Amino acid sequence: MSKLKIVLLLFVILFAVSGCKSITETVLPPPDTSGAQPFTVMTYNVHVGTGAEALLSVQNLSQVPQIAAAMYENIIASDFPERAAAIAKSIKTYQPHLVGLQEIALIRYQNPGDFIPDNPTLAEIVVLDFLQILMDALQAEGVHYQVAAKVENLDIETPMLTDTGIDDVRLTDHDIILSRSDVDISNPMQAT
């Protein structure tokens, strides 16, 4: 670069900078935090208790009832009531204003199974209601939360192999936001 171009470039930079002035005032005054409690949130993926990889990679539909049975057994073995008690203790410790929860499952059962596509008779016998179990655990800890928003992500029913034949198992998955009972909620919106 020639000396003239460098001088011109410096002149342009100085000219541009000279038009700028330092901003010393804030647009909004800082909030008064004297005695104010910070707004806190917690999020928790409670995990349904099994993965869906085996079911999603099935090559032959005749394998579905056996895979569904294994998944169901994993969900039961994951002992959500015990896990919910631990989650409730954590929520009690931190007492967040809002709690976001993922994989809040509702597991339902039907015996005997009558699975066919578009079957109007869905499994309705509740085996595990993660939301109710967690709300009961929170109550047992003496902390009070309510459902502020709830969205349904998935509702699927499949045949499952059991000792007595083929039954149906149904999983409904939700994401939920709980609010502490002293938090005012207005205009909640929920969508998948």
Side-chain angles (χ1 to χ4, degrees), residues 46-64:
V46 303
H47 193 263
V48 70
T50 192
E53 296 81 15
L55 190 60
L56 295 174
S57 64
V58 71
Q59 298 296 314
N60 184 333
L61 290 178
S62 67
Q63 298 171 309
V64 169

Side-chain angles (χ1 to χ4, degrees), residues 7-9 15 75 79 85 101 115 119 125 135 138 141 146-147 151 157-158 162 168 181 183 187:
V7 170
L8 284 175
L9 180 61
F15 180 74
I75 292 169
D79 195 2
L101 300 165
F115 181 82
N119 185 359
I125 299 168
M135 296 304 281
L138 289 167
E141 287 294 326
Q146 61 214 7
V147 175
V151 65
E157 182 169 323
T158 185
T162 67
D168 292 343
S181 60
V183 173
N187 195 25

Side-chain angles (χ1 to χ4, degrees), residues 79-147:
D79 195 2
F80 184 70
E82 183 177 321
R83 293 188 295 127
I87 295 167
K89 286 180 190 319
S90 180
I91 292 171
K92 180 180 181 178
T93 297
Y94 296 102
Q95 303 238 352
H97 293 87
L98 298 176
V99 181
L101 300 165
Q102 301 84 43
E103 291 191 55
I104 296 294
L106 175 60
I107 308 295
R108 290 172 280 190
Y109 189 81
Q110 184 177 358
N111 175 283
D114 62 355
F115 181 82
I116 56 170
D118 299 319
N119 185 359
T121 308
L122 296 174
E124 293 296 331
I125 299 168
V126 175
V127 176
L128 288 170
D129 183 340
F130 282 29
L131 178 59
Q132 189 60 57
I133 292 167
L134 181 58
M135 296 304 281
D136 291 346
L138 289 167
Q139 189 75 24
E141 287 294 326
V143 290
H144 305 285
Y145 282 80
Q146 61 214 7
V147 175

